[in-house]
Amino acid sequence: MSVAEEIRRASAGMAAPELLRFLLMDRFPRRAVVTCSLRARSIVVLNMVAEIDPATRVIFCHAPDLYPESVAYRARIVERLRLTNVRIAGRGRSGPPPRGPGHVEDVWSDVPGGWRVHTLVHLNRLLAGFDCWISAVYHRLYGDSGMDRVVEEGGLVRIVDPLRGWDQEDVRAYMAERDLPPHPHVEPQRPGRSPEGSAVVPTYHY
């Protein structure tokens, strides 16, 4: 049985906080890394991680050029959650090595005017030395990604969407209950085309 299959079976039915505690404390202590963005779902995951082990390696993945408000918001979240092991993924030092599997996050950022900017964030160097990758960037709309929750990717156990099953109301309630600040540029917007039809979803102007 592969490690991914072992983790998949052991974590079946676990809610997000239980899953993260199992990974960070029981199965991969100090050998798990979390990738995230500045979106609300990422902040929820980061809060859960901070409550378990604030020394967990956290890698922020987003477009290379951020508004000053976004930079300040990132610093505010790091300070608020007392995260002590933070990295910022950058194209210069995070690019793919000459050989080996390509670990990437596809990041989509909403910008004024209804446009979306795509950034491919390479993570090989930043993931080196870890055994478990908890992927919580959340660049897509709410809904099931269709991927298995636990997959094996280039020697790493990758956890896809630790908040699987959460909807926008769940995230909003969690943020409000814990007084977690939203991104300063978040605003509701009704997308023209989406898997959820005319559902109102938050957009983030970075």
Side-chain angles (χ1 to χ4, degrees), residues 24-205:
L24 297 176
M25 301 301 290
D26 299 334
R27 195 60 181 81
F28 300 102
R30 297 300 169 91
R31 293 183 292 117
V33 58
V34 180
T35 52
C36 64
S37 66
L38 300 177
R39 297 176 183 271
R41 280 174 285 179
S42 289
I43 304 308
V44 168
V45 172
L46 287 183
N47 188 78
M48 293 178 180
V49 168
E51 290 178 347
I52 298 166
D53 181 8
T56 299
R57 169 70 61 85
V58 169
I59 303 172
F60 282 96
C61 303
H62 41 59
D65 300 314
L66 293 181
Y67 286 118
E69 296 91 336
S70 293
V71 175
Y73 177 68
R74 185 179 64 202
R76 181 183 179 189
I77 289 297
V78 170
E79 181 179 8
R80 172 72 174 272
L81 301 184
R82 299 181 180 179
L83 300 171
T84 61
N85 192 356
V86 173
R87 301 290 186 275
I88 311 299
R91 290 175 296 181
R93 61 189 179 90
S94 307
R99 294 182 299 275
H103 300 303
V104 300
E105 285 280 17
D106 284 290
V107 176
W108 289 91
S109 300
D110 303 292
V111 297
W115 297 94
R116 303 194 81 205
V117 176
H118 177 252
T119 304
L120 194 64
V121 180
H122 294 278
L123 296 164
N124 285 58
R125 295 190 178 98
L126 290 173
L127 296 179
F130 292 93
D131 298 323
C132 178
W133 170 16
I134 301 169
S135 183
V137 169
Y138 290 111
H139 58 94
R140 300 186 185 279
L141 299 177
Y142 285 84
D144 193 338
S145 66
M147 294 181 64
D148 287 335
R149 194 184 197 188
V150 183
V151 299
E152 187 170 353
E153 183 177 306
L156 288 173
V157 172
R158 182 176 182 181
I159 311 301
V160 180
D161 186 6
L163 292 185
R164 180 161 297 183
W166 286 51
D167 60 21
Q168 187 177 349
E169 224 18 78
D170 294 326
V171 171
R172 183 183 293 113
Y174 184 99
M175 296 276 287
E177 180 181 341
R178 288 156 180 80
D179 196 27
L180 295 171
H183 188 282
H185 287 181
V186 67
E187 60 184 53
Q189 178 170 309
R190 192 177 300 276
R193 294 180 180 179
S194 78
E196 298 160 308
S198 60
V200 174
V201 299
T203 61
Y204 298 76
H205 300 322

